PDB file of all heavy atoms in Angstrom:
ATOM      1  N   ALA A   1      10.785 -29.733   5.207  1.00  0.00           N
ATOM      2  CA  ALA A   1       9.548 -30.502   5.000  1.00  0.00           C
ATOM      3  C   ALA A   1       8.850 -30.895   6.302  1.00  0.00           C
ATOM      4  O   ALA A   1       7.615 -30.826   6.362  1.00  0.00           O
ATOM      5  CB  ALA A   1       9.848 -31.743   4.163  1.00  0.00           C
ATOM      6  N   PRO A   2       9.561 -31.310   7.356  1.00  0.00           N
ATOM      7  CA  PRO A   2       8.844 -31.670   8.586  1.00  0.00           C
ATOM      8  C   PRO A   2       8.034 -30.510   9.176  1.00  0.00           C
ATOM      9  O   PRO A   2       6.881 -30.689   9.564  1.00  0.00           O
ATOM     10  CB  PRO A   2       9.963 -32.105   9.541  1.00  0.00           C
ATOM     11  CG  PRO A   2      11.051 -32.584   8.644  1.00  0.00           C
ATOM     12  CD  PRO A   2      10.998 -31.657   7.458  1.00  0.00           C
ATOM     13  N   MET A   3       8.614 -29.311   9.199  1.00  0.00           N
ATOM     14  CA  MET A   3       7.865 -28.178   9.758  1.00  0.00           C
ATOM     15  C   MET A   3       6.761 -27.727   8.821  1.00  0.00           C
ATOM     16  O   MET A   3       5.690 -27.313   9.270  1.00  0.00           O
ATOM     17  CB  MET A   3       8.799 -27.017  10.090  1.00  0.00           C
ATOM     18  CG  MET A   3       8.106 -25.897  10.854  1.00  0.00           C
ATOM     19  SD  MET A   3       7.190 -26.418  12.342  1.00  0.00           S
ATOM     20  CE  MET A   3       8.519 -26.828  13.432  1.00  0.00           C
ATOM     21  N   LEU A   4       6.976 -27.830   7.529  1.00  0.00           N
ATOM     22  CA  LEU A   4       5.904 -27.521   6.586  1.00  0.00           C
ATOM     23  C   LEU A   4       4.724 -28.466   6.801  1.00  0.00           C
ATOM     24  O   LEU A   4       3.564 -28.054   6.735  1.00  0.00           O
ATOM     25  CB  LEU A   4       6.411 -27.610   5.147  1.00  0.00           C
ATOM     26  CG  LEU A   4       7.414 -26.523   4.736  1.00  0.00           C
ATOM     27  CD1 LEU A   4       8.001 -26.851   3.366  1.00  0.00           C
ATOM     28  CD2 LEU A   4       6.773 -25.152   4.746  1.00  0.00           C
ATOM     29  N   ALA A   5       5.008 -29.737   7.090  1.00  0.00           N
ATOM     30  CA  ALA A   5       3.945 -30.715   7.358  1.00  0.00           C
ATOM     31  C   ALA A   5       3.204 -30.365   8.645  1.00  0.00           C
ATOM     32  O   ALA A   5       1.973 -30.479   8.707  1.00  0.00           O
ATOM     33  CB  ALA A   5       4.534 -32.121   7.442  1.00  0.00           C
ATOM     34  N   VAL A   6       3.936 -29.949   9.672  1.00  0.00           N
ATOM     35  CA  VAL A   6       3.304 -29.528  10.929  1.00  0.00           C
ATOM     36  C   VAL A   6       2.383 -28.342  10.663  1.00  0.00           C
ATOM     37  O   VAL A   6       1.235 -28.323  11.117  1.00  0.00           O
ATOM     38  CB  VAL A   6       4.366 -29.163  11.998  1.00  0.00           C
ATOM     39  CG1 VAL A   6       3.739 -28.427  13.174  1.00  0.00           C
ATOM     40  CG2 VAL A   6       5.092 -30.405  12.475  1.00  0.00           C
ATOM     41  N   ASN A   7       2.881 -27.354   9.929  1.00  0.00           N
ATOM     42  CA  ASN A   7       2.071 -26.171   9.657  1.00  0.00           C
ATOM     43  C   ASN A   7       0.836 -26.496   8.824  1.00  0.00           C
ATOM     44  O   ASN A   7      -0.234 -25.934   9.056  1.00  0.00           O
ATOM     45  CB  ASN A   7       2.923 -25.094   8.990  1.00  0.00           C
ATOM     46  CG  ASN A   7       3.893 -24.475   9.970  1.00  0.00           C
ATOM     47  OD1 ASN A   7       3.661 -24.441  11.171  1.00  0.00           O
ATOM     48  ND2 ASN A   7       5.006 -23.989   9.460  1.00  0.00           N
ATOM     49  N   GLU A   8       0.978 -27.406   7.881  1.00  0.00           N
ATOM     50  CA  GLU A   8      -0.195 -27.829   7.103  1.00  0.00           C
ATOM     51  C   GLU A   8      -1.206 -28.513   8.016  1.00  0.00           C
ATOM     52  O   GLU A   8      -2.403 -28.258   7.930  1.00  0.00           O
ATOM     53  CB  GLU A   8       0.236 -28.765   5.974  1.00  0.00           C
ATOM     54  CG  GLU A   8      -0.906 -29.167   5.069  1.00  0.00           C
ATOM     55  CD  GLU A   8      -0.464 -30.036   3.909  1.00  0.00           C
ATOM     56  OE1 GLU A   8       0.725 -29.974   3.531  1.00  0.00           O
ATOM     57  OE2 GLU A   8      -1.310 -30.792   3.398  1.00  0.00           O
ATOM     58  N   TRP A   9      -0.743 -29.371   8.914  1.00  0.00           N
ATOM     59  CA  TRP A   9      -1.619 -30.062   9.857  1.00  0.00           C
ATOM     60  C   TRP A   9      -2.360 -29.060  10.745  1.00  0.00           C
ATOM     61  O   TRP A   9      -3.524 -29.254  11.079  1.00  0.00           O
ATOM     62  CB  TRP A   9      -0.798 -31.032  10.711  1.00  0.00           C
ATOM     63  CG  TRP A   9      -1.598 -31.800  11.704  1.00  0.00           C
ATOM     64  CD1 TRP A   9      -2.315 -32.942  11.478  1.00  0.00           C
ATOM     65  CD2 TRP A   9      -1.760 -31.499  13.090  1.00  0.00           C
ATOM     66  NE1 TRP A   9      -2.918 -33.364  12.645  1.00  0.00           N
ATOM     67  CE2 TRP A   9      -2.584 -32.486  13.652  1.00  0.00           C
ATOM     68  CE3 TRP A   9      -1.277 -30.478  13.909  1.00  0.00           C
ATOM     69  CZ2 TRP A   9      -2.942 -32.494  14.988  1.00  0.00           C
ATOM     70  CZ3 TRP A   9      -1.637 -30.480  15.243  1.00  0.00           C
ATOM     71  CH2 TRP A   9      -2.461 -31.481  15.767  1.00  0.00           C
ATOM     72  N   LEU A  10      -1.682 -27.967  11.106  1.00  0.00           N
ATOM     73  CA  LEU A  10      -2.284 -26.936  11.947  1.00  0.00           C
ATOM     74  C   LEU A  10      -3.245 -26.024  11.184  1.00  0.00           C
ATOM     75  O   LEU A  10      -3.955 -25.231  11.789  1.00  0.00           O
ATOM     76  CB  LEU A  10      -1.189 -26.084  12.599  1.00  0.00           C
ATOM     77  CG  LEU A  10      -0.386 -26.796  13.679  1.00  0.00           C
ATOM     78  CD1 LEU A  10       0.849 -25.988  14.042  1.00  0.00           C
ATOM     79  CD2 LEU A  10      -1.247 -27.057  14.905  1.00  0.00           C
ATOM     80  N   GLY A  11      -3.260 -26.136   9.857  1.00  0.00           N
ATOM     81  CA  GLY A  11      -4.185 -25.346   9.061  1.00  0.00           C
ATOM     82  C   GLY A  11      -3.597 -24.100   8.425  1.00  0.00           C
ATOM     83  O   GLY A  11      -4.333 -23.302   7.846  1.00  0.00           O
ATOM     84  N   TYR A  12      -2.287 -23.932   8.529  1.00  0.00           N
ATOM     85  CA  TYR A  12      -1.661 -22.796   7.849  1.00  0.00           C
ATOM     86  C   TYR A  12      -1.741 -23.006   6.342  1.00  0.00           C
ATOM     87  O   TYR A  12      -1.751 -24.128   5.863  1.00  0.00           O
ATOM     88  CB  TYR A  12      -0.177 -22.687   8.234  1.00  0.00           C
ATOM     89  CG  TYR A  12       0.089 -22.078   9.582  1.00  0.00           C
ATOM     90  CD1 TYR A  12       0.330 -22.887  10.688  1.00  0.00           C
ATOM     91  CD2 TYR A  12       0.142 -20.701   9.755  1.00  0.00           C
ATOM     92  CE1 TYR A  12       0.613 -22.330  11.932  1.00  0.00           C
ATOM     93  CE2 TYR A  12       0.424 -20.141  10.981  1.00  0.00           C
ATOM     94  CZ  TYR A  12       0.655 -20.957  12.068  1.00  0.00           C
ATOM     95  OH  TYR A  12       0.933 -20.415  13.297  1.00  0.00           O
ATOM     96  N   HIS A  13      -1.759 -21.910   5.606  1.00  0.00           N
ATOM     97  CA  HIS A  13      -1.686 -21.985   4.150  1.00  0.00           C
ATOM     98  C   HIS A  13      -0.749 -20.895   3.637  1.00  0.00           C
ATOM     99  O   HIS A  13      -0.597 -19.853   4.272  1.00  0.00           O
ATOM    100  CB  HIS A  13      -3.070 -21.884   3.499  1.00  0.00           C
ATOM    101  CG  HIS A  13      -3.770 -20.598   3.791  1.00  0.00           C
ATOM    102  ND1 HIS A  13      -4.519 -20.403   4.929  1.00  0.00           N
ATOM    103  CD2 HIS A  13      -3.828 -19.431   3.109  1.00  0.00           C
ATOM    104  CE1 HIS A  13      -5.006 -19.178   4.931  1.00  0.00           C
ATOM    105  NE2 HIS A  13      -4.601 -18.563   3.841  1.00  0.00           N
ATOM    106  N   GLU A  14      -0.128 -21.157   2.507  1.00  0.00           N
ATOM    107  CA  GLU A  14       0.847 -20.223   1.952  1.00  0.00           C
ATOM    108  C   GLU A  14       0.147 -18.977   1.441  1.00  0.00           C
ATOM    109  O   GLU A  14      -0.836 -19.057   0.714  1.00  0.00           O
ATOM    110  CB  GLU A  14       1.618 -20.884   0.812  1.00  0.00           C
ATOM    111  CG  GLU A  14       2.720 -20.014   0.259  1.00  0.00           C
ATOM    112  CD  GLU A  14       3.523 -20.707  -0.824  1.00  0.00           C
ATOM    113  OE1 GLU A  14       3.919 -21.871  -0.643  1.00  0.00           O
ATOM    114  OE2 GLU A  14       3.755 -20.048  -1.856  1.00  0.00           O
ATOM    115  N   THR A  15       0.678 -17.828   1.846  1.00  0.00           N
ATOM    116  CA  THR A  15       0.121 -16.569   1.368  1.00  0.00           C
ATOM    117  C   THR A  15       1.154 -15.731   0.632  1.00  0.00           C
ATOM    118  O   THR A  15       0.794 -14.822  -0.105  1.00  0.00           O
ATOM    119  CB  THR A  15      -0.443 -15.723   2.526  1.00  0.00           C
ATOM    120  OG1 THR A  15       0.597 -15.488   3.477  1.00  0.00           O
ATOM    121  CG2 THR A  15      -1.596 -16.439   3.199  1.00  0.00           C
ATOM    122  N   ALA A  16       2.435 -16.010   0.833  1.00  0.00           N
ATOM    123  CA  ALA A  16       3.485 -15.231   0.173  1.00  0.00           C
ATOM    124  C   ALA A  16       4.778 -16.028   0.188  1.00  0.00           C
ATOM    125  O   ALA A  16       4.943 -16.963   0.962  1.00  0.00           O
ATOM    126  CB  ALA A  16       3.686 -13.904   0.887  1.00  0.00           C
ATOM    127  N   ARG A  17       5.692 -15.631  -0.672  1.00  0.00           N
ATOM    128  CA  ARG A  17       7.040 -16.193  -0.687  1.00  0.00           C
ATOM    129  C   ARG A  17       8.027 -15.047  -0.573  1.00  0.00           C
ATOM    130  O   ARG A  17       7.752 -13.936  -1.022  1.00  0.00           O
ATOM    131  CB  ARG A  17       7.310 -16.986  -1.959  1.00  0.00           C
ATOM    132  CG  ARG A  17       6.536 -18.281  -1.982  1.00  0.00           C
ATOM    133  CD  ARG A  17       7.056 -19.193  -3.032  1.00  0.00           C
ATOM    134  NE  ARG A  17       6.273 -20.433  -3.001  1.00  0.00           N
ATOM    135  CZ  ARG A  17       6.665 -21.532  -3.561  1.00  0.00           C
ATOM    136  NH1 ARG A  17       7.802 -21.580  -4.210  1.00  0.00           N
ATOM    137  NH2 ARG A  17       5.923 -22.604  -3.510  1.00  0.00           N
ATOM    138  N   GLN A  18       9.156 -15.347   0.003  1.00  0.00           N
ATOM    139  CA  GLN A  18      10.182 -14.328   0.203  1.00  0.00           C
ATOM    140  C   GLN A  18      11.455 -14.747  -0.514  1.00  0.00           C
ATOM    141  O   GLN A  18      11.836 -15.914  -0.479  1.00  0.00           O
ATOM    142  CB  GLN A  18      10.463 -14.187   1.698  1.00  0.00           C
ATOM    143  CG  GLN A  18      11.540 -13.205   2.026  1.00  0.00           C
ATOM    144  CD  GLN A  18      11.787 -13.107   3.528  1.00  0.00           C
ATOM    145  OE1 GLN A  18      11.200 -13.822   4.312  1.00  0.00           O
ATOM    146  NE2 GLN A  18      12.657 -12.220   3.909  1.00  0.00           N
ATOM    147  N   THR A  19      12.096 -13.797  -1.138  1.00  0.00           N
ATOM    148  CA  THR A  19      13.389 -14.040  -1.770  1.00  0.00           C
ATOM    149  C   THR A  19      14.437 -13.274  -0.980  1.00  0.00           C
ATOM    150  O   THR A  19      14.281 -12.083  -0.728  1.00  0.00           O
ATOM    151  CB  THR A  19      13.404 -13.557  -3.230  1.00  0.00           C
ATOM    152  OG1 THR A  19      12.391 -14.264  -3.938  1.00  0.00           O
ATOM    153  CG2 THR A  19      14.747 -13.788  -3.877  1.00  0.00           C
ATOM    154  N   VAL A  20      15.476 -13.968  -0.577  1.00  0.00           N
ATOM    155  CA  VAL A  20      16.563 -13.343   0.158  1.00  0.00           C
ATOM    156  C   VAL A  20      17.795 -13.340  -0.732  1.00  0.00           C
ATOM    157  O   VAL A  20      18.182 -14.381  -1.256  1.00  0.00           O
ATOM    158  CB  VAL A  20      16.860 -14.097   1.472  1.00  0.00           C
ATOM    159  CG1 VAL A  20      18.037 -13.478   2.198  1.00  0.00           C
ATOM    160  CG2 VAL A  20      15.626 -14.127   2.349  1.00  0.00           C
ATOM    161  N   MET A  21      18.373 -12.181  -0.906  1.00  0.00           N
ATOM    162  CA  MET A  21      19.561 -12.059  -1.740  1.00  0.00           C
ATOM    163  C   MET A  21      20.688 -11.487  -0.881  1.00  0.00           C
ATOM    164  O   MET A  21      20.442 -10.667  -0.005  1.00  0.00           O
ATOM    165  CB  MET A  21      19.273 -11.154  -2.932  1.00  0.00           C
ATOM    166  CG  MET A  21      18.126 -11.672  -3.788  1.00  0.00           C
ATOM    167  SD  MET A  21      17.649 -10.554  -5.092  1.00  0.00           S
ATOM    168  CE  MET A  21      18.905 -10.934  -6.294  1.00  0.00           C
ATOM    169  N   THR A  22      21.892 -11.945  -1.136  1.00  0.00           N
ATOM    170  CA  THR A  22      23.041 -11.445  -0.394  1.00  0.00           C
ATOM    171  C   THR A  22      24.067 -10.879  -1.357  1.00  0.00           C
ATOM    172  O   THR A  22      24.090 -11.233  -2.536  1.00  0.00           O
ATOM    173  CB  THR A  22      23.693 -12.550   0.458  1.00  0.00           C
ATOM    174  OG1 THR A  22      24.150 -13.587  -0.409  1.00  0.00           O
ATOM    175  CG2 THR A  22      22.700 -13.133   1.448  1.00  0.00           C
ATOM    176  N   TRP A  23      24.919 -10.022  -0.838  1.00  0.00           N
ATOM    177  CA  TRP A  23      25.964  -9.409  -1.629  1.00  0.00           C
ATOM    178  C   TRP A  23      27.213  -9.376  -0.775  1.00  0.00           C
ATOM    179  O   TRP A  23      27.158  -9.057   0.415  1.00  0.00           O
ATOM    180  CB  TRP A  23      25.546  -7.999  -2.018  1.00  0.00           C
ATOM    181  CG  TRP A  23      26.579  -7.224  -2.792  1.00  0.00           C
ATOM    182  CD1 TRP A  23      26.860  -7.357  -4.109  1.00  0.00           C
ATOM    183  CD2 TRP A  23      27.441  -6.217  -2.291  1.00  0.00           C
ATOM    184  NE1 TRP A  23      27.845  -6.482  -4.478  1.00  0.00           N
ATOM    185  CE2 TRP A  23      28.226  -5.765  -3.360  1.00  0.00           C
ATOM    186  CE3 TRP A  23      27.640  -5.646  -1.047  1.00  0.00           C
ATOM    187  CZ2 TRP A  23      29.188  -4.786  -3.230  1.00  0.00           C
ATOM    188  CZ3 TRP A  23      28.597  -4.670  -0.914  1.00  0.00           C
ATOM    189  CH2 TRP A  23      29.362  -4.247  -1.995  1.00  0.00           C
ATOM    190  N   SER A  24      28.314  -9.735  -1.336  1.00  0.00           N
ATOM    191  CA  SER A  24      29.581  -9.730  -0.635  1.00  0.00           C
ATOM    192  C   SER A  24      30.419  -8.552  -1.107  1.00  0.00           C
ATOM    193  O   SER A  24      30.538  -8.309  -2.311  1.00  0.00           O
ATOM    194  CB  SER A  24      30.332 -11.041  -0.903  1.00  0.00           C
ATOM    195  OG  SER A  24      31.640 -10.963  -0.395  1.00  0.00           O
ATOM    196  N   VAL A  25      31.004  -7.831  -0.179  1.00  0.00           N
ATOM    197  CA  VAL A  25      31.860  -6.707  -0.530  1.00  0.00           C
ATOM    198  C   VAL A  25      32.998  -7.179  -1.424  1.00  0.00           C
ATOM    199  O   VAL A  25      33.339  -6.541  -2.414  1.00  0.00           O
ATOM    200  CB  VAL A  25      32.421  -6.025   0.734  1.00  0.00           C
ATOM    201  CG1 VAL A  25      33.469  -4.975   0.377  1.00  0.00           C
ATOM    202  CG2 VAL A  25      31.291  -5.404   1.531  1.00  0.00           C
ATOM    203  N   ASP A  26      33.587  -8.319  -1.090  1.00  0.00           N
ATOM    204  CA  ASP A  26      34.700  -8.857  -1.895  1.00  0.00           C
ATOM    205  C   ASP A  26      34.274  -9.160  -3.320  1.00  0.00           C
ATOM    206  O   ASP A  26      34.977  -8.850  -4.270  1.00  0.00           O
ATOM    207  CB  ASP A  26      35.269 -10.114  -1.238  1.00  0.00           C
ATOM    208  CG  ASP A  26      35.898  -9.799   0.106  1.00  0.00           C
ATOM    209  OD1 ASP A  26      36.370  -8.656   0.306  1.00  0.00           O
ATOM    210  OD2 ASP A  26      35.917 -10.686   0.971  1.00  0.00           O
ATOM    211  N   ALA A  27      33.105  -9.767  -3.486  1.00  0.00           N
ATOM    212  CA  ALA A  27      32.624 -10.095  -4.828  1.00  0.00           C
ATOM    213  C   ALA A  27      32.272  -8.831  -5.584  1.00  0.00           C
ATOM    214  O   ALA A  27      32.537  -8.706  -6.772  1.00  0.00           O
ATOM    215  CB  ALA A  27      31.426 -11.024  -4.758  1.00  0.00           C
ATOM    216  N   GLY A  28      31.700  -7.851  -4.902  1.00  0.00           N
ATOM    217  CA  GLY A  28      31.315  -6.598  -5.532  1.00  0.00           C
ATOM    218  C   GLY A  28      32.504  -5.762  -5.977  1.00  0.00           C
ATOM    219  O   GLY A  28      32.443  -5.054  -6.963  1.00  0.00           O
ATOM    220  N   ALA A  29      33.624  -5.859  -5.252  1.00  0.00           N
ATOM    221  CA  ALA A  29      34.818  -5.078  -5.584  1.00  0.00           C
ATOM    222  C   ALA A  29      35.376  -5.494  -6.944  1.00  0.00           C
ATOM    223  O   ALA A  29      35.878  -4.664  -7.691  1.00  0.00           O
ATOM    224  CB  ALA A  29      35.885  -5.251  -4.499  1.00  0.00           C
TER     225      ALA A  29
END
């Protein structure tokens, strides 16, 4: 939230969202 507030103050606006997914070899086995 603090950096989001800084970016809003600077005039940035959201244009996209990213989803990060991980996979573990152990879980996959």
